């Protein structure tokens, strides 16, 4: 019975992603809310953000060691910078495409259980975070407070990173190790779908 309930815990994040009502629309309803609530909602308004942020947490846990906390912290820090750039209307070429590619690449890294040096892992995650943050900032509602919006999307992002890491640590147990690779494969499929849609 214990193994049965643990399997639900392991697959809950994937079910949450696949059950998202916005699965076919990456960024919906951006102008209809303001401030903190709009910021909270934005990271979960699209499958691309959901997958990438949980993917960073999963990959960090899969890599282990200092990466478990360093990769999520680096993602949050660089995403904040990207958000400022986006809110200030400073162009970042191919930002939307970079967000989609982050899903695909993270899926590959997780499915193949890639272990690269910590510095390189941090740079990869930071590059993804810059794109995600830029998109968040650029899509801030005109009537929203930049500060409260930023706090909102940072809070949701931190939660998604944490959820991914918890899933990754739980699945790293020998019995469920393949669940990590399956989650990576699912992200690859989502990344391909988002690229061709």
């Amino acid at each position: 019975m214990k193994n049965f309930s643990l399997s639900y815990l392991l697959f809950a994040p994937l079910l949450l992603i696949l059950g998202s009502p916005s699965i076919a629309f990456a960024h919906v309803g951006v102008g209809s809310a303001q401030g903190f609530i709009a910021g909270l909602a934005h990271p979960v308004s699209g499958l691309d953000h959901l997958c990438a942020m949980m993917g960073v947490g999963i990959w960090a846990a899969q890599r282990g060691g200092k990466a478990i906390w360093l990769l999520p912290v680096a993602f949050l820090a660089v995403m904040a910078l990207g958000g400022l750039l986006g809110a200030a209307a400073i162009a970042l070429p191919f930002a939307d495409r970079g967000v989609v590619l982050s899903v695909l690449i993270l899926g590959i890294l997780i499915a193949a259980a890639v272990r690269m040096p910590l510095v390189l892992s941090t740079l990869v995650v930071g590059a993804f975070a810059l794109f995600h943050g830029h998109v968040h900032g650029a899509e801030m509602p005109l009537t929203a407070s930049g500060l409260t919006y930023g706090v909102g999307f940072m809070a949701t992002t931190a939660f998604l990173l944490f959820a991914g890491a918890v899933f990754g640590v739980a699945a790293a147990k020998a019995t469920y190790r393949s669940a990590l690779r399956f989650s990576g494969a699912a992200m690859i499929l989502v990344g391909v779908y988002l690229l061709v849609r």
Side-chain angles (χ1 to χ4, degrees):
M1 185 66 176
K2 182 180 178 183
N3 287 344
F4 181 73
S5 61
L6 184 57
S7 65
Y8 275 111
L9 173 67
L10 292 177
F11 292 105
L14 182 60
L15 293 174
L16 175 68
I17 290 169
L18 294 176
S20 172
S22 56
I23 190 166
F25 304 100
H27 307 107
V28 295
V30 173
S32 64
Q34 296 180 2
F36 184 69
I37 300 300
L40 279 176
H42 196 264
V44 293
S45 67
L47 195 56
D48 49 3
H49 294 306
L50 259 173
C51 283
M53 290 167 192
M54 287 197 65
V56 168
I58 292 169
W59 190 44
Q62 187 181 44
R63 195 187 178 291
K66 292 180 182 178
I68 292 177
W69 63 266
L70 183 59
L71 296 186
V73 168
F75 189 93
L76 279 172
V78 178
M79 192 184 73
L81 173 63
L84 290 172
L85 295 175
I90 297 172
L92 181 62
F94 309 111
D96 281 322
R97 189 60 71 179
V99 167
V100 172
L101 285 174
S102 73
V103 175
L104 181 60
I105 294 169
L106 280 165
I108 292 168
L109 293 172
I110 294 166
V114 173
R115 291 184 60 85
M116 56 181 65
L118 186 58
V119 172
L120 184 56
S121 301
T122 306
L123 290 173
V124 168
V125 165
F128 296 157
L130 190 64
F131 290 124
H132 282 270
H134 190 277
V135 169
H136 288 322
E139 295 184 348
M140 179 178 69
L142 294 175
T143 55
S145 158
L147 178 61
T148 57
Y149 178 81
V151 169
F153 78 69
M154 293 289 285
T156 299
T157 298
F159 172 78
L160 292 172
L161 291 166
F162 176 74
V166 167
F167 171 76
V169 169
K173 307 294 183 195
T175 312
Y176 295 97
R177 196 171 298 274
S178 61
L180 290 175
R181 296 198 178 209
F182 283 126
S183 66
M187 285 179 60
I188 292 170
L189 293 176
V190 171
V192 170
Y193 162 74
L194 292 172
L195 276 174
V196 300
R197 72 184 174 89

